[in-house]
Amino acid sequence: MSCVLRATLLASSFGLLLSACSDPAPVPAAGEPAVAFAPAAPAPTDEAGLRRAVREATAAQRVYAPAGDNAVEYLLELRGLRPDDASIATALMELLPYAVIGSEQAVGREDFAEARRLLGLIERADGSAPALSRLRESIAAAEANAARRLIAEAEAEKLRAQQAAEEAAAAERETQLAEQAARQAPAPVA
């Protein structure tokens, strides 16, 4: 099963799960114009708004990104409002593997800020998640490797610059010696 199909099925099932727990969306009255573009609204803070935001983010496959506008963050906010709601806890646990994969992919891209942001989301969602220690170690090791590589690249660039300077100095010395030899050579007798 492809990742896109799996994500679509997850989004659909997740949306159904949340819609069973939430109020139906308001339908515009007859003759009332439908709004094509909604102005950018602040993040919802009420339960209905958060549930709607979760549905929209999931449907748009914004499971863990972008920061501040994704299903995992909205679910965490919703869990803060309703800590004993099993459907919220279940939905959060279903989305955590995607955040783990996203963190691993961010490490692979050397986007350590994103990897750490996702690690924080996973930790907030489940502080005892088995992947936490592995992700921490993976991020730390990748950061160390990247730092070593940057140092090696800087040293190699310094060495190349030093070699270029030495070659330029040698060429300058050869030019000076050739000019000096030309000045010291006796003039041909005509």
Side-chain angles (χ1 to χ4, degrees):
M1 184 179 292
S2 74
C3 290
V4 173
L5 180 59
R6 193 174 308 141
T8 304
L9 289 174
L10 174 67
S12 299
S13 62
F14 186 68
L16 289 173
L17 176 69
L18 281 177
S19 66
C21 301
S22 63
D23 298 329
V27 178
E32 194 175 351
V35 177
F37 297 101
T45 56
D46 64 318
E47 184 177 348
L50 286 169
R51 287 185 186 277
R52 184 175 46 257
V54 169
R55 280 193 307 275
E56 290 170 1
T58 305
Q61 296 184 357
R62 294 187 325 264
V63 175
Y64 54 82
D69 185 20
N70 61 71
V72 172
E73 289 184 46
Y74 290 134
L75 281 169
L76 288 169
E77 292 295 320
L78 195 55
R79 186 177 70 179
L81 294 176
R82 306 226 357 172
D84 297 329
D85 191 329
S87 66
I88 295 170
T90 300
L92 206 47
M93 289 304 118
E94 287 178 357
L95 294 181
L96 279 187
Y98 294 99
V100 170
I101 292 168
S103 181
E104 291 169 341
Q105 290 173 341
V107 168
R109 292 188 312 268
E110 294 187 355
D111 185 354
F112 302 119
E114 177 69 358
R116 289 198 180 281
R117 182 187 74 82
L118 293 173
L119 178 68
L121 284 179
I122 296 163
E123 197 166 32
R124 281 178 52 203
D126 181 9
S128 63
L132 285 174
S133 61
R134 179 179 51 81
L135 285 173
R136 278 190 201 99
E137 291 170 6
S138 174
I139 292 169
E143 284 177 327
N145 286 339
R148 281 192 295 274
R149 189 188 73 249
L150 288 175
I151 290 169
E153 288 173 358
E155 288 175 355
E157 181 59 34
K158 183 179 175 182
L159 182 61
R160 281 192 294 272
Q162 184 179 2
Q163 288 172 340
E166 288 172 0
E167 288 172 5
E172 179 66 26
R173 277 193 304 274
E174 285 180 22
T175 303
Q176 288 175 352
L177 288 174
E179 289 175 358
Q180 186 179 15
R183 277 185 294 214
Q184 290 177 352
V189 178

